[in-house]
Amino acid sequence: MAADNKALLVLEDGTVHRGVEFGAVGQTLGEAVFCTAMTGYQETLTDPSYARQIVVATAPQIGNTGWNDEDDESRGDKIWVAGYAVRNPTRRVSNWRSSGTLEGELVDQGVVGIAGIDTRALVRRLRDHGSMRAGVFSGDALAPDAELLDRVREQPSMKGQNLIGEVSTTESYTIEPEGEARFTVVAVDLGIKTNTPRMFAERGMRVHVVPSTITLDEVRSFNPDGFFLSNGPGDPATAAHEVELTRGVLDAGLPLFGICLGNQLLGRAFGLETYKMKFGHRGINIPVVEHTTGRISITAQNHGFALEGERGAEFDTPFGRGRVSHVCANDGVVEGVELLDGRAFSVQYHPEAAAGPHDAAYLFDKFATVMGDK
């Protein structure tokens, strides 16, 4: 290892991984998590749900398709991860759509990373002991290990963090439908990925993407046929305004669809509790079982919090009878909830499939059906 490009990744338990600079040089702090996706690193890095997280890639080689102008999943093409840790960055980019390199984009956006570490050992540590606070340090940010550990431990835990305001749009904007407009949807931006409104638009829906601070009266002013809660980062227990808004929408009888953080907020509006998972679900290869049909979908996921509950469990809500509709086939974690009358449903995974499989795209059609039947 060359002494002039040394980098360190430090976990809050005192574990230190020594590697080399990758991307910007300096210091970054966040929660260390791992992503099991073998492809789609650009979509991962630009997913707002990864705000304040240092992502560890389990795929051993990263960067071979470079960086392009089409696959970003955030407005303004922003990289949202706090840091990036990889084993073996590719030496040569080979893809016809590439407009640059992964490392070049990390440098341009000031994202501090580390390469050349044993990511297998790091991921095993996070699986055994859970996601934890961490930091990546290089250049002038380097210091004795004990000092770096103090910096890591001084940052707040992800539990209790409200990050919605950091990622939500501050101004409403509209995505027009492809072809004739069939429905109007108000989509609350909790950290929305750009492919989600596109999936709605492909099905003839005009989508008004609105700030998370929107009020129920402002929602009504759009005269919507449906209401959507997006993905996003942070602890759902801190999202009091968004939960109250969801309850108001349910009281008004609007069809509702939620994904990821939206699933947790709908569950909390129903009266369910949420908890922080040990190491979460992050990847594009996670199997989910639908309770009523037994159908299994391979899904893209990114969450460190989840709803309490068990497969098929039914419960009373202020809006009618509810049910746990989906669970993870690996560990039984709740992956969806719904009202039995069908007018509100949500899933924990990402049916917009960016990046990921297309097994769950039918949920957008299901939402259109619910709005058509209202």
Side-chain angles (χ1 to χ4, degrees):
M1 183 190 304
D4 60 351
N5 67 342
K6 181 174 69 172
L8 301 181
L9 186 150
V10 180
L11 298 178
E12 69 173 281
D13 67 356
T15 303
V16 178
H17 289 264
R18 304 178 190 277
V20 296
E21 299 165 1
F22 182 58
V25 175
Q27 169 180 304
T28 189
L29 300 172
E31 180 186 47
V33 301
F34 60 88
C35 176
T36 60
M38 298 294 287
T39 60
Y41 56 80
Q42 181 167 338
E43 291 91 336
T44 294
L45 295 177
T46 56
D47 178 356
S49 295
Y50 278 113
R52 292 206 203 172
Q53 294 183 321
I54 297 171
V55 176
V56 182
T58 61
Q61 187 175 63
I62 292 293
N64 60 331
T65 57
W67 197 269
N68 64 61
D69 298 325
E70 302 174 32
D71 292 342
D72 294 310
E73 282 302 315
S74 63
R75 291 173 298 105
D77 304 336
K78 178 180 172 62
I79 293 177
W80 279 102
V81 302
Y84 202 30
V86 303
R87 175 70 182 96
N88 181 24
T90 188
R91 296 181 180 181
R92 179 179 298 175
V93 170
S94 179
N95 187 273
W96 65 275
R97 296 194 305 151
S98 174
S99 58
T101 67
L102 167 59
E103 184 168 23
E105 193 67 25
L106 293 173
V107 171
D108 289 346
Q109 297 204 33
V111 178
V112 177
I114 185 171
I117 63 173
D118 186 346
T119 50
R120 294 172 301 177
L122 176 53
V123 169
R124 178 164 290 185
R125 190 83 182 171
L126 297 176
R127 282 186 59 90
D128 289 347
H129 300 279
S131 299
M132 60 183 82
R133 293 171 296 176
V136 178
F137 309 92
S138 57
D140 292 342
L142 289 170
D145 291 1
E147 180 180 332
L148 299 181
L149 181 58
D150 287 341
R151 296 182 202 172
V152 168
R153 290 176 173 171
E154 286 170 358
Q155 67 177 304
S157 168
M158 185 61 71
K159 186 174 182 179
Q161 293 300 300
N162 187 332
L163 305 182
I164 295 172
E166 295 185 11
V167 300
S168 179
T169 181
T170 56
E171 300 288 339
S172 298
Y173 61 94
T174 301
I175 305 297
E176 294 294 337
E178 297 181 10
E180 182 181 357
R182 300 169 56 210
F183 304 108
T184 296
V185 174
V186 170
V188 179
D189 181 4
L190 310 169
I192 198 167
K193 296 170 74 174
T194 56
N195 200 42
T196 302
R198 190 180 303 130
M199 296 283 278
F200 285 131
E202 289 173 355
R203 290 158 175 80
M205 303 179 200
R206 176 176 288 112
V207 186
H208 298 290
V209 182
V210 299
S212 62
T213 54
I214 193 170
T215 65
L216 184 58
D217 285 341
E218 290 170 331
V219 170
R220 290 188 174 119
S221 71
F222 289 100
N223 193 27
D225 301 294
F227 181 80
F228 175 73
L229 291 167
S230 80
N231 61 287
D235 187 343
T238 66
H241 167 75
E242 292 80 6
V243 170
E244 282 304 309
L245 175 63
T246 301
R247 289 176 177 147
V249 168
L250 292 170
D251 274 332
L254 269 178
L256 187 153
F257 175 29
I259 66 171
C260 191
L261 180 58
N263 175 65
Q264 297 159 13
L265 299 186
L266 179 60
R268 292 187 70 86
F270 286 164
L272 303 179
E273 295 295 325
T274 50
Y275 64 96
K276 192 176 190 304
M277 302 170 69
K278 183 176 181 180
F279 51 78
H281 294 161
R282 297 175 181 88
I284 61 174
N285 47 11
I286 300 171
V288 168
V289 183
E290 184 176 20
H291 172 67
T292 56
T293 65
R295 174 178 183 168
I296 296 178
S297 296
I298 303 302
T299 68
Q301 298 195 21
N302 172 16
H303 64 109
F305 293 84
L307 287 168
E308 297 278 6
E310 298 180 357
R311 177 179 175 177
E314 294 191 9
F315 46 85
D316 290 321
T317 82
F319 320 101
R321 193 78 171 155
R323 172 171 58 201
V324 173
S325 57
H326 299 73
V327 296
C328 180
N330 291 337
D331 55 15
V333 167
V334 172
E335 296 281 357
V337 291
E338 63 186 357
L339 289 179
L340 296 189
D341 65 14
R343 62 187 171 91
F345 67 97
S346 61
V347 293
Q348 186 59 62
Y349 45 96
H350 288 242
E352 85 292 326
H358 296 87
D359 296 26
Y362 74 93
L363 292 168
F364 292 94
D365 300 311
K366 177 179 177 179
F367 189 41
T369 299
V370 173
M371 288 189 290
D373 290 344
K374 74 169 186 174

